Amino acid sequence: MDWLDNLIKTFLDFEAMWLVLPQLLGVGLVNTLVISLAATAIGVVLGMVVAIMGISPSKWLRVPARVYTDIFRGLPAILTILLIGQGFARISQQIFGPSPYPLGILALSLIASAYIGEIFRAGIQSVDRGQLEACRALGMSYGRAMRLVVVPQGIRRVLPALVNQFIAIVKDSSLVYFLGLLVTERELFRVGQDAAVLTGNLSPLVLAGVFYLVITVPLTHLVNYFDERFRTGRRKPAPPKSGLDELEELTPTPALTYGSNT
């Protein structure tokens, strides 16, 4: 079965995997997590700003937020990364040097903020409007009521969606390699691709895919856990009591006489 041997040598060459494993762990995995976490953190901050602008009573805030969201959600991620990475290359060189690493993080942050802004907006608007009106009736300002009452509840409701967005950012981080990262800045996909080109074997790319699965699959199950937890609540319903227990509670017990013999 030559075809089976060829498949095994092409995709499951453990020697090639072993050779590239140190680079995947020490360079690729670290950079992938740094890019993803930094882009998510910036995206959350910008996304909250976009969400607040999107639900603002002023159209001068709502319209720019809507345009921003439509642009960065409508463009392909690779196109946004190339436009940011190549369009701002000269400015980045004056600030960060020749490394396109910061521009890759910036591009992913802008993409993430558009999606996260919509997530936050949906979560905030899902909170009963009566809570905002009750806060205003108590004398709280609009901003204070949103900051202390409405927004925290909205964030709690969209935590599973935020984790899903982080998973998407982890996968999109592989597109940053189009900017031509330095050797020490390569993420998982670029490390696997370089090793695959050098060895003429796809096993390093398969191993890089395994690393992506190790990151994303547990997070996916974590999302499902949070979603189920938020739907059912933290407390489990108490099991129904037996009718015999209720009868025992209703049955009078004979009173003990003081000083009686036992």
Side-chain angles (χ1 to χ4, degrees):
M1 300 183 64
D2 295 337
W3 63 271
L4 182 59
D5 293 336
N6 290 332
L7 286 178
I8 294 176
K9 291 179 180 179
T10 302
F11 296 103
L12 296 176
D13 188 343
F14 294 105
E15 182 178 356
M17 290 182 178
W18 180 256
L19 292 176
V20 77
L21 181 60
Q23 293 185 7
L24 285 174
L25 283 174
V27 179
L29 180 61
V30 173
N31 286 320
T32 294
L33 292 177
V34 169
I35 293 172
S36 303
L37 292 173
T40 302
I42 299 173
V44 166
V45 176
L46 294 179
M48 179 58 69
V49 174
V50 172
I52 297 299
M53 292 174 60
I55 62 177
S56 172
S58 173
K59 68 177 182 179
W60 298 104
L61 295 177
R62 289 198 312 271
V63 173
R66 186 72 265 171
V67 172
Y68 177 91
T69 301
D70 290 341
I71 290 176
F72 286 103
R73 290 183 67 186
L75 291 176
I78 181 59
L79 181 58
T80 302
I81 292 173
L82 289 176
L83 288 176
I84 299 295
Q86 296 179 2
F88 295 92
R90 290 187 177 181
I91 300 176
S92 177
Q93 287 180 0
Q94 297 176 359
I95 301 175
F96 303 107
S99 171
Y101 199 81
L103 290 178
I105 294 176
L106 175 61
L108 287 177
S109 302
L110 295 177
I111 298 170
S113 64
Y115 287 94
I116 294 175
E118 284 296 285
I119 293 172
F120 279 147
R121 183 183 63 82
I124 293 171
Q125 291 183 335
S126 69
V127 178
D128 188 9
R129 185 170 181 81
Q131 298 196 33
L132 178 60
E133 295 174 353
C135 293
R136 299 303 300 275
L138 293 174
M140 299 176 65
S141 64
Y142 176 82
R144 185 178 178 84
M146 291 292 293
R147 186 176 70 254
L148 298 180
V149 178
V150 179
V151 173
Q153 294 184 64
I155 293 176
R156 181 180 180 274
R157 295 183 180 186
V158 299
L159 281 178
L162 290 177
V163 179
N164 270 330
Q165 186 58 40
F166 176 73
I167 294 174
I169 294 173
V170 170
K171 292 185 290 186
D172 287 343
S173 65
S174 61
L175 300 175
V176 177
Y177 92 97
F178 281 104
L179 300 180
L181 297 175
L182 301 178
V183 175
T184 57
E185 297 173 346
R186 296 177 300 168
E187 33 69 48
L188 284 171
F189 175 76
R190 186 58 187 268
V191 173
Q193 185 196 38
D194 289 346
V197 171
L198 291 175
T199 60
N201 192 285
L202 295 179
S203 298
L205 276 177
V206 173
L207 184 58
V210 171
F211 275 92
Y212 281 110
L213 292 177
V214 169
I215 298 173
T216 58
V217 171
L219 288 176
T220 303
H221 290 287
L222 185 64
V223 168
N224 297 332
Y225 170 77
F226 278 144
D227 188 44
E228 183 179 359
R229 191 72 175 271
F230 290 156
R231 289 177 183 273
T232 60
R234 296 183 178 181
R235 296 181 180 180
K236 296 182 179 180
K241 293 184 179 181
S242 172
L244 296 177
D245 296 337
E246 296 179 357
L247 288 176
E248 291 180 358
E249 293 177 358
L250 295 175
T251 303
T253 57
L256 294 178
T257 305
Y258 179 77
S260 61
N261 296 328
T262 56

